[in-house]
Amino acid sequence: MTKLITTSAELDRLCRDIEQSSWVALDTEFERVRTFFPRLCLIQIATQDQVACIDPLAKMDLVGLVQVLSSTGPMKILHAARQDIEVLHHGLGILPKPLFDTQIAAALCGHGEQVSYAQLVKSLCGVSLSKQYTRAEWSRRPLSEGEIRYAIDDVRYLGELYRQLHQELGQRGRLDWAEEDFQELASGRSIESGATIAVRKVQAASRRFDRTGQSVAHVLARWREEMARRDDRPREWVLPLEAILQIAQERPASHHHICLLSGLSEGNARRWSQEILAAVQRGQREADNYVPLPPPRRPDAQEKALGNRLWQCLQVLCEQGDLPTASVARRDDIRQLAIGDRNLPLLRGWRERFAGAELLALAEAETISRNC
């Protein structure tokens, strides 16, 4: 039988084992189709001595688990941890530290960009994992024996991946590189940026509108964020982007007008009409003080050529260093560097030492030459 923990006594015994372990492997199963926040449905745990699934939907006290996963004791090992960190932060209120992400480590060790857990297990452990339950409904109970085995396999090999990748990072002299990225990931800053990104997406989509239209769109985006969080509903279920843009253009002044909008469902029109009208009025009042997003800076022909040369230089450096270019910089970052942006991850930490300083010197030399 596979191990599914559903009682506080079982969980307490597992937590004591975790406390005595030098590392703990973690994974989560969650659902997010109908909600704003991810719903934590399963927590998979592995230590040197055991593997188990914890059922957070069972009626048991999770305080002991929260404490042991919040402690700075055992290393927390995850693969492609960004979503799991958000899930654990919302479900348990924790940011697991210290952290080791095997996907990040694999990229720094030359195993490719965003390599999957299954690919890495096959490559480093010689084991082929089943894909049978990839689309399982993890909130459904009871879970089948096969589903539990599948979930447990997601942590069963993380300890061995950690051992091999940690050793390889040391041999390549890149442990400090990985630690920089792990600390940034564990900080939770990527979770906090979600609301800003969603609002900016609306602002960018409304750039072609006049100032009043942009102001209305911005107010509607912020209102949607509040409602989605309050009601735990996906943003698009509250107010689709198409509807926001249509409202910002037409600026309806009555419930009847709102009901005629093609981008808004009949149910949402009935439910949200008063709030939408209030947001429209607020956006109109605040239009004079609204600060639009600056238009995207379009590079001229010389800057485009410089960006291409910088990208080619980065590709050569990454090939020599056995690194995927995406681990160092995105193509957009290189374009920004070419037009004068200096607030880039490429120009900080190990990325600056590996490639950023050289690319910056090349960019500035060409800029000086052009201006002479």
Side-chain angles (χ1 to χ4, degrees), residues 28 37-38 40 66 81-97 185-192 229:
T28 66
F37 297 105
L40 179 60
V66 169
R82 190 176 302 276
Q83 278 193 313
D84 294 303
I85 287 173
E86 181 183 1
V87 173
L88 290 168
H89 184 254
H90 177 69
L92 301 180
I94 63 171
L95 291 170
K97 301 175 185 177
L185 188 57
S187 71
R189 280 188 281 269
S190 63
I191 301 173
E192 298 166 3
R229 288 173 177 272

Side-chain angles (χ1 to χ4, degrees), residues 46-57:
T47 67
Q48 289 99 323
D49 300 320
Q50 62 176 308
V51 291
C53 287
I54 300 168
D55 185 358
L57 304 183

Side-chain angles (χ1 to χ4, degrees), residues 3-7 10-12 14-15 18 24 26-29 40-46 51-58 60-62 65-66 68-69 92 141 143 148 151-152:
K3 189 169 186 179
L4 178 64
I5 292 176
T6 58
T7 69
E10 292 174 316
L11 183 58
D12 288 344
L14 177 62
C15 288
I18 295 172
V24 54
L26 282 170
D27 190 39
T28 66
E29 304 296 346
L40 179 60
C41 299
L42 202 65
I43 306 168
Q44 300 99 289
I45 296 279
V51 291
C53 287
I54 300 168
D55 185 358
L57 304 183
M60 59 178 170
D61 190 347
L62 299 177
L65 180 67
V66 169
V68 74
L69 294 184
L92 301 180
R141 295 295 183 272
L143 294 172
I148 298 170
I152 281 179

Side-chain angles (χ1 to χ4, degrees), residues 34-37 219-239 268 271-276 279 282:
R34 302 173 181 84
T35 61
F36 180 88
F37 297 105
V219 171
L220 285 167
R222 289 188 285 119
W223 169 82
R224 181 181 71 169
E225 195 71 22
E226 292 171 6
M227 293 302 101
R229 288 173 177 272
R230 189 195 71 182
D231 294 348
D232 194 18
R233 291 161 58 89
R235 293 181 181 94
E236 290 291 306
W237 286 23
V238 176
L239 200 60
N268 278 354
R271 180 176 185 183
W272 301 120
S273 64
Q274 293 306 312
E275 287 86 348
I276 291 172
R282 181 179 174 186

Side-chain angles (χ1 to χ4, degrees), residues 68-76 95-99 182-183 186-188:
V68 74
L69 294 184
S70 300
S71 75
T72 57
M75 176 68 72
K76 285 75 176 181
L95 291 170
K97 301 175 185 177
L99 174 71
F182 298 158
Q183 288 182 6
S187 71

